[in-house]
Amino acid sequence: MASLTRWFMRKPLAVESIKEPPKIEQKDASSVRMQDKYGDVELNGDLDATIHAFMSILGDNDDFVVHSFRVFGKFKAALFYYKNFSDAESIDLYVLRPLMFPPEHIQPMGIKADALPDILLQEVLYTCEGKKNSRFDEAIREISKGKVILAIQGMPCAIVFGSRKVEHRTVGQPETEQVIRGAREGFIEMLGTNVSLLRYRLPTPDFRVKYMTIGKLTQSMVAICYIDGIANSQLVEEVHNRLASIEIDAVLDIGYLEQFIEDNNWSPFPQMQYTERPDKTVSNLIEGRVALLVDGSPFALIAPTVFSQYYQTVEDYSGRFLLVSFIRLARLIALLFSLVFPSLYVALLSFNPELIPTEFAVAVSGGRAGVPFPAVIEVLAMEISMEVLREATLRLPQQVGGALSIVGVLVIGQAAVSAGFVSPITVVVIALTTIGSFATPAYDAALALRILRFPLIMLAGAF
């Protein structure tokens, strides 16, 4: 993200000059269609008409529930919700029970229907997420998000309750970013939990979270996180504008957003950074960056980013300078191994063998005796085999994947050398290259280096 990086690298603005970025209201196609069809429909208190309208839209779903009852034994009412998407226990305890058995200070006979919303929200119901709603199209969207709608005969609006219930895994150690010294918790798929993990580490009023809804069908909630006074306001506004311009049917993972807001879609190198760790996200927020979270994705997307970040880990922040510098140097050496080692080997054997020491050249020529392929074909065949083996290891079950990697490296490699398809020195070169790619902390950066190896090898074999 070149433009985002340029904004980030500018001199930070003074705290008093930073203004809140404008709130951008995104209207997707489904919202527009709903508004065009039902935008003028109001929930005016006719309960039978309300039930008929909800059933005409959502009645084909077997899990859609219309629960009829009487509020205070006097007013006809109905609850609308999806039974597999809402918490039935909380509905029974905190909505139905107080509505059917009012407090002692409430006198139902003297209450009029138009005064019910304020009385229910302020004196009766045990909920902190209740709000009034008079638009039918908004009520449909709220039900689709797992909320409950309460409609009462004669009441000029409906009441919306938050009771969504989704089974999710507990907060555990991240699988993709292992550390020796560091926190043992990572993001999960629930957006609210992920935001709470960030607020736990940033107990400051300057920490900002802005929500947007993206996706015509999925209506995915996206959180934009930054620290006011540290993050450049122009950077935050640019992120807002790029997200608001996205038109897509579904956002199922944070990677969907990355492909829309990055500057160059054809670059093999990642232009934003993924992380599964809240502590790493907080470290980047403190440095002035912006983090994006999506409901349903256990990853955060950090922007902008520079190449050196892909060779940093969480432990680099907590380790001593001398030791951490040594480890980073080792990672850079691994970068050279994974990128240029095979092509350098091909170039030396094909065009510049005089640069190889005599004793070593004799050993290499002896190992290559009987190999029927030129060096470039030999290296390309081994690289392709390693990529296929790596992909097969990732896609197999965990119990089988480890055994396959051992069999592939030991048995197949040794058999290829014995059969004369490849030379032993080629196997060593490919092994060092593979180990070097494993030493890269960021998977997407390591993938870019793996892709670039192939054109470098072919250029080394041609020139």
Side-chain angles (χ1 to χ4, degrees):
M1 307 196 50
S3 60
L4 289 183
T5 306
R6 286 195 297 271
W7 268 306
F8 175 72
M9 296 304 292
R10 290 177 181 175
K11 183 178 179 180
L13 302 178
V15 175
E16 58 270 14
S17 67
I18 295 179
K19 298 181 180 180
E20 194 70 26
K23 293 184 178 179
I24 299 171
E25 182 180 358
Q26 184 188 24
K27 293 184 178 181
D28 51 46
S30 63
S31 301
V32 173
R33 289 195 302 268
M34 184 70 70
Q35 188 172 0
D36 291 343
K37 191 173 183 179
Y38 304 104
D40 56 347
V41 178
E42 298 287 337
L43 301 174
N44 55 10
D46 188 345
L47 184 61
D48 293 334
T50 300
I51 294 176
H52 176 74
F54 277 114
M55 290 299 296
S56 64
I57 303 299
L58 305 176
D60 289 339
N61 300 288
D62 293 338
D63 59 343
F64 179 65
V65 176
V66 179
H67 180 74
S68 300
F69 65 103
R70 286 186 177 270
V71 175
F72 305 154
K74 175 184 177 182
F75 303 98
K76 293 175 59 178
L79 287 177
F80 307 92
Y81 60 94
Y82 288 116
K83 65 180 180 180
N84 297 324
F85 202 17
S86 301
D87 188 359
E89 183 177 356
S90 65
I91 294 175
D92 293 341
L93 292 178
Y94 307 125
V95 178
L96 284 176
R97 183 183 294 272
L99 287 177
M100 299 177 71
F101 303 98
E104 295 181 358
H105 68 281
I106 298 295
Q107 301 297 327
M109 304 309 297
I111 299 177
K112 296 183 179 180
D114 55 355
L116 270 176
D118 294 331
I119 294 176
L120 295 181
L121 290 175
Q122 299 174 12
E123 302 184 50
V124 177
L125 294 172
Y126 309 144
T127 178
C128 61
E129 296 186 9
K131 63 179 181 180
K132 294 183 288 186
N133 183 21
S134 60
R135 295 179 59 88
F136 180 71
D137 56 338
E138 294 180 0
I140 291 292
R141 286 196 293 270
E142 297 289 359
I143 294 177
S144 301
K145 294 177 181 179
K147 296 185 179 181
V148 179
I149 301 295
L150 170 64
I152 302 176
Q153 177 67 36
M155 190 173 70
C157 63
I159 299 180
V160 183
F161 304 100
S163 65
R164 189 176 75 161
K165 180 181 180 182
V166 179
E167 297 296 334
H168 58 86
R169 62 187 177 94
T170 58
V171 176
Q173 184 170 352
E175 296 291 337
T176 59
E177 295 178 88
Q178 300 286 344
V179 297
I180 299 176
R181 294 175 56 186
R184 296 296 190 267
E185 61 183 10
F187 290 127
I188 64 172
E189 286 73 18
M190 303 300 294
L191 179 60
T193 303
N194 295 339
V195 173
S196 67
L197 291 174
L198 296 180
R199 288 201 177 276
Y200 165 69
R201 288 176 168 79
L202 284 173
T204 170
D206 294 328
F207 178 52
R208 300 284 190 265
V209 179
K210 303 295 183 182
Y211 291 105
M212 298 180 65
T213 301
I214 302 178
K216 300 174 185 177
L217 299 178
T218 59
Q219 292 286 299
S220 302
M221 189 69 69
V222 179
I224 306 173
C225 307
Y226 62 97
I227 299 180
D228 190 19
I230 296 181
N232 194 313
S233 61
Q234 293 177 331
L235 169 65
V236 178
E237 185 176 355
E238 177 70 13
V239 173
H240 268 281
N241 294 335
R242 294 196 183 196
L243 290 176
S245 63
I246 295 177
E247 294 184 3
I248 189 176
D249 290 335
V251 177
L252 304 179
D253 188 75
I254 195 69
Y256 287 60
L257 300 182
E258 180 191 15
Q259 300 177 61
F260 278 95
I261 65 178
E262 64 183 0
D263 286 330
N264 188 358
N265 292 326
W266 294 100
S267 173
F269 292 100
Q271 298 158 61
M272 282 167 281
Q273 189 178 16
Y274 285 94
T275 181
E276 202 176 355
R277 303 189 61 86
D279 50 354
K280 186 175 181 179
T281 305
V282 169
S283 299
N284 283 274
L285 292 177
I286 295 174
E287 293 173 358
R289 296 181 177 88
V290 177
L292 301 179
L293 301 171
V294 174
D295 193 14
S297 175
F299 289 91
L301 189 64
I302 298 172
T305 185
V306 293
F307 187 76
S308 61
Q309 287 180 251
Y310 296 111
Y311 287 85
Q312 295 178 357
T313 63
V314 180
E315 297 169 276
D316 296 347
Y317 291 93
S318 58
R320 290 189 294 164
F321 170 75
L322 182 63
L323 302 179
V324 171
S325 299
F326 173 76
I327 295 300
R328 286 184 178 177
L329 180 61
R331 295 192 194 118
L332 293 178
I333 295 174
L335 164 64
L336 296 177
F337 276 145
S338 62
L339 182 61
V340 302
F341 205 39
S343 55
L344 183 63
Y345 170 72
V346 171
L348 289 177
L349 288 186
S350 302
F351 299 102
N352 302 100
E354 68 276 3
L355 297 178
I356 305 175
T358 305
E359 294 81 1
F360 185 63
V362 173
V364 170
S365 60
R368 289 188 50 80
V371 176
F373 308 109
V376 60
I377 301 298
E378 185 182 5
V379 171
L380 282 175
M382 286 296 296
E383 282 286 356
I384 294 173
S385 302
M386 287 302 300
E387 292 298 328
V388 172
L389 179 62
R390 191 200 308 257
E391 185 66 19
T393 305
L394 289 175
R395 304 307 166 193
L396 280 174
Q398 186 175 2
Q399 295 80 0
V400 184
L404 176 63
S405 62
I406 296 175
V407 171
V409 172
L410 296 180
V411 178
I412 299 179
Q414 183 61 36
V417 172
S418 302
F421 289 110
V422 295
S423 62
I425 187 62
T426 303
V427 175
V428 174
V429 169
I430 300 301
L432 289 176
T433 303
T434 305
I435 294 173
S437 64
F438 286 151
T440 301
Y443 173 78
D444 43 358
L447 181 59
L449 297 178
R450 287 158 50 189
I451 294 175
L452 290 177
R453 277 206 302 264
F454 289 96
L456 287 178
I457 292 172
M458 288 185 284
L459 289 174
F463 300 101

